[in-house]
């Protein structure tokens, strides 16, 4: 039975406590229980902004190499059931003023067919691809994968039959909590395999990349230069997109990073 519409109001009220609960995961027993209840078998990947390819002049991918948003389109076209949410529960809870609240998640897979109709609607692949494109154009960054929390608040399942495509803003995203979580949980939400954000000699330490840009605060100024904490960076590419001197760029360590991401995500969710 799908969650009643009232769950939206409940989440709105408790959302601000997410940092408190995230901090509790660092206590062994409590962390184990929270991991089992909310994150078991999760595997979520953040996708870099497509524009990072244009910004980074050192990358010259072959024509056959798709941009990161191609991962989203791949899974949308493969899904048996596609559902578009009418709202983002994170931005709705925070009362976001900077990004559209109505640009909600896309859910894929058989479990999505059980979502309460009051939350959104079933869609065609073309409608979902257009929705995802509209979200990127609004400045939102997408993450994709198996996210157990969505099966819980929506009261659907099984978890292995639901894939989440979330459209995240830096100010309201649930995963601002990652630096506070136990590493065993935080590593379940990762950057694409085979890429890394790096700072080059163009950096003047202006600080634009640190001003409300990184949702996990993985970039800071040290001795007049931007420094990226690679243990926290999820490779979203926002820092590269805002840098006026192209001093931050995405470095491709493995040319097959898009194909590898698709393989990694496919192992955790069946969306047919």
């Amino acid at each position: 039975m799908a969650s009643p519409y009232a769950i939206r109001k409940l989440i709105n009220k408790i959302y601000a406590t997410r940092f408190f609960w995230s901090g509790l995961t660092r206590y062994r027993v409590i962390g184990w229980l929270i991991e089992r209840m909310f994150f078991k078998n999760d595997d979520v990947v953040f996708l870099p902004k497509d524009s990072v390819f244009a910004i980074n002049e050192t990358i010259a991918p072959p024509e056959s190499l798709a941009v990161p948003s191609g991962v989203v389109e791949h899974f949308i076209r493969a899904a048996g059931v596609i559902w578009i949410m009418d709202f983002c529960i994170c931005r709705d809870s925070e009362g976001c003023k900077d990004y559209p609240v109505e640009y909600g998640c896309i859910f894929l897979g058989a479990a999505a067919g059980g979502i309460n109709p009051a939350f959104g609607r079933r869609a065609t692949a073309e409608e979902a691809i257009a929705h995802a494109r509209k979200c990127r154009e609004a400045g939102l960054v997408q993450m994709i994968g198996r996210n157990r929390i969505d099966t819980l608040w929506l009261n659907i399942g099984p978890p292995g039959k639901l894939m989440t495509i979330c459209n995240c803003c830096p100010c309201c995203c649930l995963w601002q909590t990652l630096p506070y979580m136990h590493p065993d949980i935080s590593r379940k939400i990762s950057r694409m395999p085979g890429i890394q954000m790096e700072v080059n000699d163009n950096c003047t330490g202006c600080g634009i990349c640190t001003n409300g840009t990184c949702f996990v605060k993985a970039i800071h100024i040290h001795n007049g230069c931007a420094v990226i904490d690679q243990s926290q960076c999820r490779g979203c590419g926002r820092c590269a997109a805002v840098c006026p001197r192209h001093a931050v760029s995405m470095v491709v360590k493995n040319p097959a990073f898009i194909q590898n991401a698709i393989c990694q995500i496919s192992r955790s969710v069946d969306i047919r």
Side-chain angles (χ1 to χ4, degrees), residues 108-119:
L108 309 177
I115 299 174
N116 187 333
F119 292 151

Side-chain angles (χ1 to χ4, degrees), residues 102-264:
E102 65 272 20
Y103 287 6
C105 292
I106 301 170
F107 292 114
L108 309 177
I115 299 174
N116 187 333
F119 292 151
R121 61 185 175 87
R122 290 184 68 150
T124 66
E126 295 306 322
E127 288 172 332
I129 290 170
H131 178 80
R133 184 183 304 115
K134 182 171 60 176
C135 292
R136 291 191 297 272
E137 290 171 352
L140 301 171
V141 171
Q142 288 162 334
M143 55 169 251
I144 181 170
R146 175 171 172 163
N147 190 359
R148 184 177 176 85
I149 286 178
D150 287 327
T151 66
L152 294 174
W153 82 269
L154 292 168
N155 195 30
I156 57 175
K161 295 288 186 178
L162 184 74
M163 179 178 290
T164 298
I165 301 173
C166 190
N167 305 292
C168 302
C169 64
C171 46
C172 308
C173 183
L174 171 65
W175 304 119
Q176 289 177 315
T177 58
L178 290 179
Y180 304 91
M181 288 183 173
H182 190 283
D184 287 349
I185 297 177
S186 65
R187 70 170 59 102
K188 294 173 182 283
I189 295 89
S190 62
R191 62 182 170 215
M192 289 184 78
I195 68 162
Q196 185 168 299
M197 305 307 300
E198 295 185 357
V199 179
N200 60 47
D201 293 338
N202 290 337
C203 182
T204 61
C206 68
I208 290 176
C209 60
T210 67
N211 185 19
T213 299
C214 181
F215 71 105
V216 289
K217 297 180 173 58
I219 189 165
H220 62 278
I221 303 299
H222 180 70
N223 291 335
C225 183
V227 177
I228 296 175
D229 182 349
Q230 297 296 342
S231 68
Q232 291 294 343
C233 176
R234 263 46 181 200
C236 70
R238 283 193 179 99
C239 51
V242 302
C243 180
R245 298 182 60 83
H246 300 175
V248 187
S249 58
M250 188 183 79
V251 176
V252 177
K253 301 290 187 179
N254 183 344
F257 73 103
I258 289 181
Q259 294 87 338
N260 290 345
I262 289 173
C263 290
Q264 175 181 325

Side-chain angles (χ1 to χ4, degrees), residues 82-104:
I82 304 170
W83 186 279
I84 297 177
M85 295 290 283
D86 287 341
F87 61 96
C88 167
I89 191 64
C90 299
R91 287 191 291 281
D92 186 47
S93 297
E94 288 285 89
C96 187
K97 303 298 183 184
D98 298 322
Y99 296 88
V101 173
E102 65 272 20
Y103 287 6

